[in-house]
Amino acid sequence: MSTQLPDDFKCPISLEIMSDPVILSSGHTFDRVSIQRWLDSGHRTCPITKLPLPEHPCLIPNHALRSLISNYTLVSPSKSQPCSQPQTLVSALTSPSSPIGTKLDSLTHLAGLTKRDSSLRRKLTESGAVPAVLKFVDSEDPVLQEKALSLLLNLSLDDDNKVGLVAEGAVNRVVKILRIGSPDCRAIAATIITSLAVVEVNKATIGAYPDAIPALVRLLIAGKGREKKEAATALYAICSFTDNRRRAIDCGAVPILINLLDLGLERAIEVLGLLVKCKEGREEMMKVNGCVKVLVKVLKNGSSRGVQYGLFTLNCLCNYSESFCFEARKQGVLGICLGLVEEENEKIKRYLSNLVQTLSGNHAIG
């Protein structure tokens, strides 16, 4: 079998056809068993480039190559055996000869099937469907694009797929949709960012894309209701990574989020609760006229989660600035806090106690 397949399908270490190809940080691909044996022997250099590797190298599944190998090995007498419906749909999706209508039907059905079937999501990722799905994400046909994004979102639900999807170029395509897609497509694209960012390493990777955070911030401005909410959720997901907070602040996110919060988008206070953790965020919030009033409104009318983040944000700002602390007192924050003393939520209790102490003692540090 190995003599009939391209040399690129062979592991550089074992020289055998790869069954589970993985990408090393050097950019080269090896069969997982072979490279793991190399690493377990104590080596911390790439076998090909000899460049140093991290102490705990990350092995990223090369789904694209795995699917190519799989497709080649399927060219045998066994191919005449009947396929199950998902396999047939994947074949129609990946075949260059399939009509657009057939591909659209395949995307629609696969999006429906993968919504709750994790085993099928895994099979699809391993079958070579991802490059085809990403190709349709690039489509100029908004219907094809939306169906492809829905399927991509489903595939991203499995943690095992998240890093691989990023490695295969999903972020670049999704960010492009955030900029120029239809309203529905942009909302799905923002949701995909949120899903991919569940894995810690992806937060840094997504934030490093030059237009990822700017595109989300622009969506906060120009998007409709669902787009704004999903964009704010995506920012919340990626801004738990410290560097991304500064990137969002540099894009002008703070005044936009405060304005949206004033208009009733409570998700904005969650993002502000992350941005307030860095000095640049606190300084930007203090520049916004009426910031205290907006935060007070959250304490009065917000959900339990909104109140929690409102208390935390206020306390950070009051601790940072004596003038902000004075303004909070002037706006009656102490009285509002007294009205929350019977709140049973543990985080609210803690943040409430901290804020009361700050307002009472004026523990400003700035």
Side-chain angles (χ1 to χ4, degrees):
M1 174 73 73
S2 62
T3 58
Q4 302 172 5
L5 297 173
D7 287 341
D8 288 343
F9 292 179
K10 298 178 182 179
C11 174
I13 297 176
S14 68
L15 301 181
E16 297 292 333
I17 299 301
M18 291 181 278
S19 61
D20 188 7
V22 293
I23 306 170
L24 208 55
S25 58
S26 63
H28 291 278
T29 297
F30 305 87
D31 202 20
R32 185 184 293 275
V33 172
S34 298
I35 191 62
Q36 193 62 60
R37 189 181 298 120
W38 168 270
L39 297 172
D40 289 345
S41 298
H43 297 287
R44 284 301 178 268
T45 58
C46 172
I48 294 178
T49 66
K50 307 304 181 186
L51 293 173
L53 298 171
E55 181 61 29
H56 302 288
C58 181
L59 303 180
I60 302 173
N62 191 333
H63 296 300
L65 181 56
R66 182 171 181 169
S67 68
L68 284 173
I69 296 171
S70 177
N71 287 338
Y72 264 80
T73 57
L74 284 173
V75 182
S76 65
S78 64
K79 68 179 181 180
S80 60
Q81 296 175 354
C83 295
S84 64
Q85 186 187 19
Q87 291 173 314
T88 304
L89 293 170
V90 171
S91 297
L93 184 64
T94 57
S95 172
S97 60
S98 296
I100 290 296
T102 302
K103 293 180 184 292
L104 177 58
D105 288 343
S106 296
L107 284 170
T108 302
H109 282 95
L110 287 170
L113 291 170
T114 55
K115 196 167 186 178
R116 294 181 178 85
D117 191 339
S118 60
S119 63
L120 178 56
R121 292 196 290 266
R122 187 165 53 252
K123 289 176 183 176
L124 275 181
T125 307
E126 295 172 352
S127 72
V130 171
V133 174
L134 292 176
K135 179 181 177 182
F136 289 119
V137 170
D138 283 334
S139 172
E140 294 182 0
D141 184 327
V143 178
L144 270 175
Q145 193 175 78
E146 184 176 345
K147 295 299 181 184
L149 284 167
S150 296
L151 179 52
L152 183 62
L153 174 59
N154 292 347
L155 295 178
S156 76
L157 296 177
D158 288 1
D159 286 354
D160 289 343
N161 289 342
K162 296 181 193 294
V163 174
L165 288 173
V166 170
E168 292 193 46
V171 175
N172 191 44
R173 266 94 166 190
V174 169
V175 169
K176 181 180 177 182
I177 300 300
L178 288 174
R179 292 190 290 108
I180 62 174
S182 68
D184 286 341
C185 286
R186 290 189 300 201
I188 299 172
T191 308
I192 292 172
I193 295 291
T194 301
S195 177
L196 293 175
V198 168
V199 176
E200 199 66 27
V201 68
N202 282 350
K203 299 178 195 292
T205 305
I206 293 168
Y209 273 79
D211 207 31
I213 291 177
L216 289 170
V217 173
R218 284 196 295 269
L219 202 54
L220 290 177
I221 302 170
K224 300 185 185 301
R226 182 188 171 201
E227 297 165 81
K228 291 179 188 290
K229 182 177 179 180
E230 296 299 344
T233 303
L235 282 172
Y236 177 78
I238 63 178
C239 283
S240 61
F241 180 69
T242 305
D243 288 353
N244 289 341
R245 295 172 196 165
R246 295 187 179 90
R247 289 174 177 134
I249 292 162
D250 289 343
C251 289
V254 168
I256 296 167
L257 288 164
I258 292 175
N259 180 58
L260 289 173
L261 182 59
D262 192 28
L263 295 173
L265 183 64
E266 190 174 80
R267 190 61 51 84
I269 187 60
E270 298 177 22
V271 187
L272 290 169
L274 292 176
L275 303 187
V276 78
K277 293 180 178 181
C278 62
K279 179 181 178 182
E280 297 89 344
R282 293 191 291 270
E283 290 180 347
E284 287 300 310
M285 289 178 205
M286 290 171 57
K287 293 177 185 177
V288 179
N289 290 329
C291 178
V292 177
K293 288 184 178 180
V294 174
L295 294 175
V296 166
K297 186 191 291 187
V298 174
L299 298 189
K300 289 180 176 179
N301 305 318
S303 67
S304 177
R305 187 173 174 85
V307 170
Q308 172 188 316
Y309 278 93
L311 289 168
F312 177 81
T313 304
L314 267 169
N315 187 52
C316 288
L317 292 168
C318 289
N319 259 309
Y320 185 70
S321 165
E322 183 176 349
S323 62
F324 200 95
C325 195
F326 176 80
E327 180 64 22
R329 288 198 204 94
K330 186 179 175 182
Q331 294 290 333
V333 172
L334 268 174
I336 296 171
C337 288
L338 291 175
L340 295 170
V341 291
E342 295 185 3
E343 177 65 49
E344 295 182 357
N345 183 294
E346 289 301 322
K347 283 191 175 181
I348 289 182
K349 282 183 178 179
R350 183 165 71 251
Y351 295 152
L352 185 63
S353 174
N354 292 342
L355 180 56
V356 169
Q357 288 180 27
T358 300
L359 292 172
S360 301
N362 191 16
H363 303 145
I365 61 174

